[in-house]
Amino acid sequence: MNAAKYIWMNGKFVAWDDAKVHVLSHTLHYGNGVIEGTKAYKTERGYAIFRLNDHTKRLKESAKMTLMEIPYSVEEMNQAQVELIRKNEFSGDNVYLRPFAFLGYGVMGVYHKDAPVETAVAAWEWGAYLGEEGMKKGIKLKIVSMTRPANTSNMGKAKAVANYLNSQMAKYEAIDCGYEEALLLDDQGYVAEASGASFFMVKNGVLITPPNDNSLESITQKTVIEMAQNMGIKVERKRISREDVYIADEAFLTGTAAEITPVRLIDAREIGCGARGEITEKLQSGYFDIVFGRNKEYDHYLTYV
Ligand code: PMP
């Protein structure tokens, strides 16, 4: 990965190599931690963080769901992220921010109430999550054997570290089978989400994405829905079955890291023309206009650093 100069840790900026934890940190053993993934883009007016407040709020809400108290307010954490971008003196097109909280050293055993909460934010330059070529030509997606855990045994709406074991197993299987990303169904057999992104498809000119019944309440998904509606594209949120996916006219993934990544093939079925679709391309370029500050209508989503 690309190292940067500083990491914000428990209220202080520390040198990248000094941001360390004890091997007996509670989260390393029992998996209760929460993360965010936020992105800053280099606009004409310098770096701007996209939907900063929404991401920080989701971090605090994820922590509430997993019974962890982050001792910083949304405002304090927003400020830490702004200062971190400034202090690191980045130069690339975009910077990924990873705010997170975990349980540190001092308590063993599953009961975590007395384990100390540690809070940190790291930032680094990161290229296209699913590859530059994938952004233009589309990627190959596999519906994997793993399903998203049922709502009765996990909390899919929390951006909880523990949920990413399921994502990791899914992603590994997809790549091992020659695909680039995994699509996970829910325990009822309907599309939930990809291992680290939301799923959209187009059928007869209508944009369809599943409700967040068993998936992260994605900020990019919300942005894409708003953008599509403003462009006059009809949007439906409904359950999607495996059969629906196979006969889609277009498909794409969305997420802070994935941005808008076209899908050209799913489980050996070519999607549409087997390349980036027309509506996908329109939304993709619209999204980049927004995050790079070229569309004034959405300027309220940008926090200039
Ligand atoms: N689902 C999962 C499992 C994810 O990890 C992500 C990435 N954060 C998303 C969806 C997309 O969420 P967002 O648009 O808020 O980045």
Side-chain angles (χ1 to χ4, degrees):
M1 74 180 294
N2 291 323
K5 290 181 184 163
Y6 300 101
I7 287 178
W8 182 92
M9 200 169 173
N10 299 322
K12 293 192 195 82
F13 290 97
V14 298
W16 179 275
D17 289 334
D18 295 336
K20 293 186 175 143
V21 296
H22 196 281
V23 290
L24 293 178
S25 293
H26 201 276
T27 302
L28 276 177
H29 299 260
Y30 305 111
N32 189 2
V34 292
I35 60 170
E36 259 314 310
T38 312
K39 211 157 175 181
Y41 290 86
K42 200 183 201 175
T43 72
E44 271 186 353
R45 293 166 50 198
Y47 283 107
I49 306 176
F50 186 59
R51 300 194 73 160
L52 171 63
N53 203 59
D54 294 318
H55 280 281
T56 309
K57 227 174 118 199
R58 191 172 64 182
L59 181 78
K60 294 275 287 183
E61 287 177 353
S62 294
K64 188 172 181 182
M65 290 180 214
T66 71
L67 288 166
M68 203 188 286
E69 205 161 316
I70 297 178
Y72 298 97
S73 66
V74 168
E75 293 70 32
E76 284 168 327
M77 292 219 61
N78 284 347
Q79 194 52 34
Q81 292 170 82
V82 166
E83 280 172 31
L84 187 69
I85 298 277
R86 283 191 197 134
K87 266 184 95 75
N88 272 308
E89 299 176 319
F90 293 109
S91 58
D93 246 16
N94 60 69
V95 174
Y96 188 80
L97 285 145
R98 165 57 52 83
F100 59 110
F102 59 97
L103 300 172
Y105 169 76
V107 173
M108 269 291 148
V110 169
Y111 187 60
H112 72 282
K113 194 167 191 292
D114 296 326
V117 176
E118 307 243 14
T119 317
V121 187
W124 64 91
E125 294 184 29
W126 202 1
Y129 184 65
L130 290 159
E132 284 300 337
E133 195 173 300
M135 292 300 270
K136 292 194 190 94
K137 295 193 172 153
I139 57 147
K140 293 189 293 179
L141 190 61
K142 183 183 194 304
I143 298 180
V144 290
S145 60
M146 278 279 181
T147 59
R148 270 294 186 225
N151 286 335
T152 46
S153 60
N154 225 345
M155 290 181 283
K157 281 193 179 55
K159 204 165 161 62
V161 168
N163 292 345
Y164 288 89
L165 174 62
N166 176 259
S167 289
Q168 268 183 44
M169 296 301 107
K171 179 104 186 178
Y172 200 99
E173 179 183 325
I175 291 178
D176 194 48
C177 293
Y179 290 77
E180 278 133 343
E181 179 55 77
L183 185 64
L184 292 105
L185 305 179
D186 63 21
D187 59 323
Q188 304 291 306
Y190 294 97
V191 171
E193 59 189 336
S195 71
S198 310
F199 180 80
F200 280 84
M201 58 174 268
V202 177
K203 188 72 183 173
N204 301 324
V206 179
L207 187 63
I208 308 164
T209 190
N212 297 120
D213 289 341
N214 203 342
S215 57
L216 188 70
E217 294 223 358
S218 152
I219 292 164
T220 319
Q221 188 182 33
K222 274 198 200 90
T223 308
V224 169
I225 291 170
E226 182 184 344
M227 187 172 56
Q229 284 168 336
N230 288 342
M231 285 174 172
I233 299 166
K234 190 171 172 215
V235 182
E236 278 180 11
R237 297 207 72 172
K238 62 175 188 185
R239 294 209 290 197
I240 299 173
S241 69
R242 180 190 283 270
E243 299 92 319
D244 296 330
V245 165
Y246 291 157
I247 55 167
D249 298 331
E250 298 182 30
F252 59 89
L253 303 179
T254 68
T256 300
E259 294 163 325
I260 296 185
T261 302
V263 173
R264 65 181 168 89
L265 184 125
I266 305 175
D267 293 351
R269 283 92 170 166
E270 215 167 67
I271 300 302
C273 56
R276 176 170 59 186
E278 212 176 288
I279 292 180
T280 307
E281 190 167 356
K282 210 169 143 187
L283 291 168
Q284 197 186 39
S285 70
Y287 185 74
F288 284 124
D289 281 345
I290 292 173
V291 295
F292 279 106
R294 298 189 292 259
N295 186 340
K296 294 296 153 228
E297 256 179 72
Y298 295 84
D299 222 35
H300 57 284
Y301 284 149
L302 304 187
T303 301
Y304 289 90
V305 167

